[in-house]
Amino acid sequence: QVQLVESGGGLMQAGGSLRLSCAASGRTFSPYRMGWFRQVPGKEREFVAAISWGGISTAYAESVKGRFTVSRDNVKNTGYLQMNRLKLEDTAVYYCAADRDTSGLLRRSASSYDYWGQGTQVTVSS
């Protein structure tokens, strides 16, 4: 089992920056990839970014490419999502997710991930 706890959400003006963290605990000695998703009421959970176990491979949704950066520190068992040039449409609850993987391949589907955090609210104001 892997437990995930997100932090770093909050209220930010459009154009500003926030950094989300995702602290992992439990059986973190096994390789696992991490993903970030977001969800607004009434809509399905949306892929934002993903990173492989070693951090070599990353993937982004088109809507955040060039503005968001995903990273991880496996010594600290923590993943990060740096969000720059925030837009009103970035407002959502952000979730980090993880699943065990040794292939290095990334997944954009929420159903591919076994472990989820509780989510952290990000609100972008004008």
Side-chain angles (χ1 to χ4, degrees):
Q1 290 285 340
V2 176
Q3 292 79 43
L4 303 173
V5 178
E6 301 99 336
S7 61
L11 176 65
M12 177 56 65
Q13 283 191 323
S17 298
L18 281 174
R19 188 176 82 157
L20 304 184
S21 299
C22 176
S25 60
R27 296 175 63 86
T28 56
F29 51 84
S30 296
Y32 59 95
R33 57 187 158 214
M34 295 186 74
W36 288 91
F37 292 78
R38 64 188 183 187
Q39 190 169 24
V40 297
K43 291 191 175 182
E44 291 190 356
R45 199 161 291 189
E46 174 190 30
F47 170 77
V48 175
I51 186 167
S52 60
W53 164 246
I56 300 299
S57 300
T58 58
Y60 297 92
E62 284 299 320
S63 59
V64 307
K65 196 174 292 185
R67 300 188 297 120
F68 290 12
T69 302
V70 62
S71 62
R72 66 191 296 165
D73 183 337
N74 288 343
V75 174
K76 295 181 178 179
N77 289 320
T78 301
Y80 304 97
L81 184 67
Q82 177 68 43
M83 306 186 295
N84 297 330
R85 304 201 312 274
L86 284 163
K87 301 178 180 180
L88 296 178
E89 52 264 41
D90 293 322
T91 295
V93 176
Y94 283 72
Y95 299 88
C96 68
D99 78 311
R100 307 216 176 277
D101 175 71
T102 57
S103 71
L105 297 176
L106 300 177
R107 294 287 182 261
R108 296 172 179 255
S109 171
S111 62
S112 297
Y113 293 84
D114 297 323
Y115 307 104
W116 290 84
Q118 82 288 352
T120 185
Q121 176 70 46
V122 171
T123 302
V124 183
S125 64
S126 58

